[in-house]
Short mmCIF file of all heavy atoms in Angstrom, two decimals:
data_model
loop_
_atom_site.label_atom_id
_atom_site.label_comp_id
_atom_site.label_asym_id
_atom_site.label_seq_id
_atom_site.Cartn_x
_atom_site.Cartn_y
_atom_site.Cartn_z
N GLU W 2027 -12.64 44.02 45.61
CA GLU W 2027 -13.35 44.86 46.56
C GLU W 2027 -14.49 45.63 45.90
O GLU W 2027 -15.45 46.00 46.57
CB GLU W 2027 -12.36 45.81 47.23
CG GLU W 2027 -11.34 45.09 48.09
CD GLU W 2027 -10.50 46.02 48.92
OE1 GLU W 2027 -10.50 47.24 48.63
OE2 GLU W 2027 -9.86 45.55 49.87
N ALA W 2028 -14.38 45.88 44.61
CA ALA W 2028 -15.46 46.60 43.92
C ALA W 2028 -16.72 45.75 43.82
O ALA W 2028 -17.81 46.28 43.62
CB ALA W 2028 -15.00 47.01 42.52
N ALA W 2029 -16.57 44.41 43.94
CA ALA W 2029 -17.73 43.53 43.87
C ALA W 2029 -18.33 43.25 45.23
O ALA W 2029 -19.35 42.58 45.33
CB ALA W 2029 -17.33 42.21 43.20
N ALA W 2030 -17.71 43.76 46.29
CA ALA W 2030 -18.22 43.51 47.64
C ALA W 2030 -19.47 44.32 47.91
O ALA W 2030 -19.67 45.40 47.33
CB ALA W 2030 -17.14 43.85 48.68
N ASN W 2031 -20.31 43.83 48.80
CA ASN W 2031 -21.51 44.59 49.16
C ASN W 2031 -21.27 45.47 50.38
O ASN W 2031 -21.84 46.56 50.50
CB ASN W 2031 -22.69 43.66 49.39
CG ASN W 2031 -22.49 42.72 50.57
OD1 ASN W 2031 -21.38 42.28 50.84
ND2 ASN W 2031 -23.57 42.41 51.28
N ILE W 2032 -20.43 45.02 51.32
CA ILE W 2032 -20.09 45.84 52.48
C ILE W 2032 -18.63 45.61 52.84
O ILE W 2032 -18.04 44.59 52.47
CB ILE W 2032 -20.97 45.52 53.71
CG1 ILE W 2032 -20.83 44.04 54.11
CG2 ILE W 2032 -22.40 45.92 53.49
CD1 ILE W 2032 -21.50 43.71 55.43
N PHE W 2033 -18.06 46.56 53.56
CA PHE W 2033 -16.73 46.42 54.13
C PHE W 2033 -16.88 46.37 55.65
O PHE W 2033 -17.63 47.17 56.22
CB PHE W 2033 -15.84 47.60 53.74
CG PHE W 2033 -15.28 47.51 52.34
CD1 PHE W 2033 -16.11 47.59 51.23
CD2 PHE W 2033 -13.91 47.35 52.15
CE1 PHE W 2033 -15.60 47.50 49.96
CE2 PHE W 2033 -13.39 47.27 50.87
CZ PHE W 2033 -14.23 47.34 49.77
N VAL W 2034 -16.17 45.44 56.27
CA VAL W 2034 -16.16 45.34 57.72
C VAL W 2034 -14.72 45.52 58.19
O VAL W 2034 -13.85 44.73 57.83
CB VAL W 2034 -16.73 43.99 58.20
CG1 VAL W 2034 -16.72 43.93 59.74
CG2 VAL W 2034 -18.14 43.79 57.67
N VAL W 2035 -14.49 46.56 58.97
CA VAL W 2035 -13.15 46.93 59.41
C VAL W 2035 -13.14 47.04 60.93
O VAL W 2035 -14.04 47.64 61.52
CB VAL W 2035 -12.70 48.26 58.77
CG1 VAL W 2035 -11.41 48.76 59.40
CG2 VAL W 2035 -12.52 48.09 57.27
N ASN W 2036 -12.11 46.44 61.54
CA ASN W 2036 -11.89 46.55 62.98
C ASN W 2036 -10.52 47.19 63.18
O ASN W 2036 -9.53 46.52 63.46
CB ASN W 2036 -11.96 45.17 63.64
CG ASN W 2036 -12.07 45.23 65.15
OD1 ASN W 2036 -12.12 46.31 65.73
ND2 ASN W 2036 -12.10 44.07 65.79
N ALA W 2037 -10.46 48.48 62.98
CA ALA W 2037 -9.19 49.20 63.00
C ALA W 2037 -8.67 49.33 64.43
O ALA W 2037 -9.45 49.49 65.37
CB ALA W 2037 -9.35 50.58 62.38
N THR W 2038 -7.34 49.29 64.56
CA THR W 2038 -6.74 49.34 65.90
C THR W 2038 -5.81 50.52 66.09
O THR W 2038 -5.22 50.66 67.16
CB THR W 2038 -5.95 48.05 66.16
OG1 THR W 2038 -4.95 47.88 65.14
CG2 THR W 2038 -6.86 46.84 66.19
N THR W 2039 -5.66 51.40 65.10
CA THR W 2039 -4.78 52.55 65.25
C THR W 2039 -5.46 53.80 64.71
O THR W 2039 -6.28 53.73 63.78
CB THR W 2039 -3.44 52.35 64.51
OG1 THR W 2039 -3.60 52.64 63.12
CG2 THR W 2039 -2.91 50.94 64.69
N PRO W 2040 -5.13 54.96 65.26
CA PRO W 2040 -5.67 56.22 64.73
C PRO W 2040 -5.31 56.44 63.26
O PRO W 2040 -6.11 56.98 62.50
CB PRO W 2040 -5.05 57.28 65.63
CG PRO W 2040 -4.77 56.58 66.91
CD PRO W 2040 -4.36 55.18 66.51
N ALA W 2041 -4.11 56.04 62.85
CA ALA W 2041 -3.73 56.21 61.45
C ALA W 2041 -4.60 55.36 60.55
O ALA W 2041 -4.99 55.79 59.46
CB ALA W 2041 -2.25 55.86 61.26
N GLN W 2042 -4.91 54.15 60.99
CA GLN W 2042 -5.79 53.28 60.20
C GLN W 2042 -7.17 53.91 60.06
O GLN W 2042 -7.78 53.86 58.99
CB GLN W 2042 -5.89 51.92 60.87
CG GLN W 2042 -4.65 51.05 60.72
CD GLN W 2042 -4.54 50.43 59.35
OE1 GLN W 2042 -4.00 51.05 58.41
NE2 GLN W 2042 -5.03 49.22 59.20
N LEU W 2043 -7.66 54.50 61.14
CA LEU W 2043 -8.95 55.19 61.07
C LEU W 2043 -8.88 56.34 60.07
O LEU W 2043 -9.79 56.52 59.25
CB LEU W 2043 -9.33 55.71 62.45
CG LEU W 2043 -10.59 56.58 62.51
CD1 LEU W 2043 -11.83 55.76 62.21
CD2 LEU W 2043 -10.71 57.27 63.87
N PHE W 2044 -7.84 57.13 60.14
CA PHE W 2044 -7.64 58.26 59.22
C PHE W 2044 -7.68 57.79 57.77
O PHE W 2044 -8.40 58.35 56.94
CB PHE W 2044 -6.30 58.92 59.55
CG PHE W 2044 -5.85 59.96 58.56
CD1 PHE W 2044 -6.29 61.26 58.66
CD2 PHE W 2044 -4.96 59.64 57.55
CE1 PHE W 2044 -5.86 62.24 57.76
CE2 PHE W 2044 -4.52 60.60 56.65
CZ PHE W 2044 -4.98 61.90 56.75
N HIS W 2045 -6.93 56.76 57.47
CA HIS W 2045 -6.82 56.30 56.08
C HIS W 2045 -8.12 55.64 55.60
O HIS W 2045 -8.52 55.84 54.45
CB HIS W 2045 -5.66 55.33 55.93
CG HIS W 2045 -4.31 55.97 56.06
ND1 HIS W 2045 -3.84 56.90 55.15
CD2 HIS W 2045 -3.32 55.82 56.98
CE1 HIS W 2045 -2.62 57.30 55.50
NE2 HIS W 2045 -2.29 56.66 56.62
N VAL W 2046 -8.79 54.89 56.46
CA VAL W 2046 -9.99 54.21 56.00
C VAL W 2046 -11.13 55.19 55.77
O VAL W 2046 -11.96 55.01 54.86
CB VAL W 2046 -10.40 53.09 56.98
CG1 VAL W 2046 -11.13 53.62 58.20
CG2 VAL W 2046 -11.27 52.05 56.28
N LEU W 2047 -11.19 56.26 56.58
CA LEU W 2047 -12.22 57.28 56.35
C LEU W 2047 -11.95 58.05 55.07
O LEU W 2047 -12.88 58.36 54.31
CB LEU W 2047 -12.30 58.22 57.55
CG LEU W 2047 -12.88 57.64 58.83
CD1 LEU W 2047 -12.79 58.64 59.97
CD2 LEU W 2047 -14.33 57.20 58.63
N ARG W 2048 -10.69 58.38 54.82
CA ARG W 2048 -10.37 59.09 53.58
C ARG W 2048 -10.53 58.16 52.37
O ARG W 2048 -10.97 58.60 51.31
CB ARG W 2048 -8.95 59.65 53.66
CG ARG W 2048 -8.84 60.88 54.54
CD ARG W 2048 -7.43 61.44 54.63
NE ARG W 2048 -6.84 61.64 53.33
CZ ARG W 2048 -7.08 62.67 52.51
NH1 ARG W 2048 -7.93 63.62 52.89
NH2 ARG W 2048 -6.48 62.77 51.34
N ARG W 2049 -10.19 56.91 52.53
CA ARG W 2049 -10.39 55.96 51.44
C ARG W 2049 -11.87 55.85 51.07
O ARG W 2049 -12.22 55.65 49.89
CB ARG W 2049 -9.87 54.57 51.85
CG ARG W 2049 -9.95 53.53 50.76
CD ARG W 2049 -9.52 52.15 51.22
NE ARG W 2049 -10.51 51.51 52.08
CZ ARG W 2049 -10.51 50.21 52.38
NH1 ARG W 2049 -9.53 49.43 51.93
NH2 ARG W 2049 -11.43 49.69 53.16
#
Side-chain angles (χ1 to χ4, degrees):
E2027 295 189 344
N2031 64 325
I2032 58 171
F2033 281 66
V2034 180
V2035 170
N2036 194 1
T2038 57
T2039 81
Q2042 286 283 86
L2043 174 68
F2044 171 85
H2045 290 295
V2046 79
L2047 289 175
R2048 285 180 51 80
R2049 184 184 74 165

